[in-house]
Amino acid sequence: MKKLAFAAMIGMLSASAFAAQGDILARFRVIDVDPSVSTTSTLSTINTGVKSAVVPELDFTYMITNNIGAELILGTSRHKATSTAFGDLGKVSVLPPTLTLQYHFMPEATFRPYVGAGINYTRFYSNDLKAAGTPLSIDQNSWGGALQLGADVAINKSWFVNVDVKKLWISTDVTHPALGKLGTLDINPWVFGIGIGTKF
């Protein structure tokens, strides 16, 4: 029993190798992009909504110090929009590259939590939104804030499991060719992710 406990302790110590200043962490996650929608004007009247999407995500963190890292988050998702008046409005894709500055609380531990804050730029593309057969146009660019909470859990000296939650602020204006601006659509998703990472 003592030998087993000793072996477990050695395993925990070997798994707790941390990413030091100058290292790059690469993570591959599966994420659930879950919109928290609010609308204005006509979009509110017709009760416009946006469905969630599950997609892959890739991110890279450069460790500025042992505790502070800068993370670039890359991923794209495609979402269905709906309304009570028109039913299915079609789909639109979003590409929101996000940059956060992170603080890693316990970089030498096996369980390494972090928090982050930053900015996202979102590009809307492949828009096929329609109302009663009439194409709707949207603003293609959005800037907003980003908050992040997550943790890396070491498997060994090079690999770790990652869990991550982000809140992004994303919005666009929706326009009808005859009726003009229908309102502002705030998507503001929660992004829940789990994945695996390595350092190099």
Side-chain angles (χ1 to χ4, degrees):
M1 188 62 133
K2 289 182 179 179
K3 290 182 179 180
L4 185 60
F6 180 74
M9 184 174 66
I10 294 298
M12 289 289 285
L13 290 173
S14 65
S16 65
F18 66 99
Q21 179 179 0
D23 283 346
I24 295 175
L25 309 179
R27 303 180 184 89
F28 176 81
R29 301 186 185 108
V30 175
I31 59 171
D32 177 18
V33 183
D34 188 11
S36 181
V37 175
S38 63
T39 55
T40 65
S41 192
T42 304
L43 295 180
S44 296
T45 303
I46 65 175
N47 194 24
T48 305
V50 179
K51 299 293 187 180
S52 63
V54 176
V55 295
E57 179 201 78
L58 183 65
D59 73 77
F60 298 94
T61 299
Y62 174 73
M63 298 303 297
I64 301 168
T65 71
N66 286 358
N67 293 97
I68 298 174
E71 180 174 282
L72 178 62
I73 302 159
L74 303 171
T76 186
S77 55
R78 188 160 178 82
H79 299 269
K80 178 186 289 187
T82 61
S83 80
T84 53
F86 299 101
D88 187 357
L89 298 177
K91 293 183 178 182
V92 63
S93 296
V94 295
L95 175 66
T98 303
L99 182 65
T100 61
L101 189 66
Q102 301 173 331
Y103 185 82
H104 295 248
F105 291 96
M106 299 181 293
E108 297 185 29
T110 299
F111 177 74
R112 303 191 286 268
Y114 58 83
V115 294
I119 190 169
N120 80 83
Y121 162 74
T122 298
R123 177 74 174 178
F124 293 87
Y125 67 99
S126 295
N127 170 33
D128 64 12
L129 299 180
K130 296 178 180 179
T134 302
L136 303 175
S137 62
I138 59 175
D139 287 349
Q140 293 183 310
N141 305 295
S142 169
W143 291 90
L147 294 176
Q148 182 179 33
L149 174 66
D152 296 320
V153 182
I155 300 172
N156 55 39
K157 292 181 179 180
S158 299
W159 293 89
F160 53 87
V161 172
N162 174 260
V163 290
D164 187 271
V165 178
K166 292 184 288 293
K167 176 67 173 180
L168 305 181
W169 280 266
I170 299 171
S171 67
T172 187
D173 291 332
V174 181
T175 303
H176 187 281
L179 302 177
K181 182 178 174 180
L182 299 181
T184 298
L185 175 63
D186 294 319
I187 301 172
N188 300 344
W190 288 95
V191 182
F192 304 96
I194 186 168
I196 192 166
T198 188
K199 68 174 183 177
F200 55 92

